[in-house]
Amino acid sequence: MHGKIEYLLFLIPERIVDNVEIWRVFTPAFLHFGFFHILFNVLIFSFFGKLIETGFGWVKLLLMFFIFSGISNLFQYLISQSYTFGGLSGVVSGVVGYCVIIALSPSAAGRYKMAVGLCLINIVFNIIEYFSDSHVAFGAHAAGLVAGLVWGIIDYRKMAAGTGRRETIGDIFGRLVDILKNR
């Protein structure tokens, strides 16, 4: 079965370019390498995805899935030069990063606050991955997290502008530092 999966789903640049198989940019998010790998990814995505879906709608969540998976998969390929990776972790990192920034909003519901701690765990995990000889997709995790933080900052600033507040990126990260100091 491995040959068929590879043929259909892995991000193989030659197949994307030569055969216009665009789906390959996103399909590694559906590939998992073990029961616990898929279990943890799906549990975390379900939790934070539900927060985004409830607060912003299913269309936004679906758009996030495709954007975060595309960015994280392409980045992972670029740094590893290997197409044998898979998992939802880049998307999970993206939705966690997004929820972290949304949690900083004065009007955010308390349910987003858990994302701050999980984001810190994600950052520490990424640092350990980077300096270890791990086979975990560091690039996908890091790129997904950065994409989620950036999207969160854009939406946060739009929400603040809608209430007449002008928020800078410094204000947003200052609020994050305050939350971390109080933990």
Side-chain angles (χ1 to χ4, degrees):
M1 190 70 181
H2 181 266
K4 290 185 185 218
I5 290 174
E6 179 179 306
Y7 183 76
L8 293 173
L9 301 177
F10 278 133
L11 192 156
I12 304 171
E14 299 79 30
R15 306 261 335 150
I16 295 170
V17 174
D18 295 343
N19 299 343
V20 194
E21 296 177 359
I22 301 300
W23 69 83
R24 291 179 181 277
V25 174
F26 312 105
T27 51
F30 297 108
L31 301 173
H32 286 80
F33 305 105
F35 174 75
F36 289 109
H37 186 208
I38 196 167
L39 176 69
F40 291 125
N41 274 304
V42 169
L43 285 175
I44 296 170
F45 180 75
S46 295
F47 180 81
F48 289 102
K50 187 68 172 169
L51 292 177
I52 293 168
E53 181 182 11
T54 302
F56 303 99
W58 68 269
V59 172
K60 183 170 210 153
L61 181 61
L62 185 64
L63 189 59
M64 284 181 168
F65 174 86
F66 283 109
I67 289 174
F68 294 157
S69 65
I71 289 170
S72 61
N73 292 334
L74 287 170
F75 193 76
Q76 178 60 35
Y77 177 79
L78 288 173
I79 68 166
S80 71
Q81 294 297 305
S82 170
Y83 61 81
T84 56
F85 61 88
L88 192 60
S89 302
V91 177
V92 168
S93 295
V95 296
V96 168
Y98 181 83
C99 288
V100 163
I101 300 301
I102 298 305
L104 303 176
S105 170
S107 62
R111 62 184 181 263
Y112 289 100
K113 304 292 185 202
M114 183 180 158
V116 176
L118 194 56
C119 183
L120 288 175
I121 292 168
N122 191 316
I123 291 169
V124 169
F125 183 64
N126 273 301
I127 292 168
I128 292 168
E129 284 177 343
Y130 182 76
F131 291 106
S132 73
D133 192 24
S134 170
H135 296 291
V136 176
F138 161 76
H141 290 174
L145 181 61
V146 169
L149 292 170
V150 168
W151 194 333
I153 289 169
I154 292 167
D155 280 1
Y156 181 96
R157 293 186 73 198
K158 285 180 189 174
M159 290 186 305
T163 63
R165 294 187 338 263
R166 181 167 157 75
E167 297 275 342
T168 66
I169 294 173
D171 295 334
I172 296 168
F173 282 104
R175 195 167 286 115
L176 179 60
V177 169
D178 289 343
I179 288 174
L180 295 175
K181 282 181 183 177
N182 295 327
R183 288 195 170 239

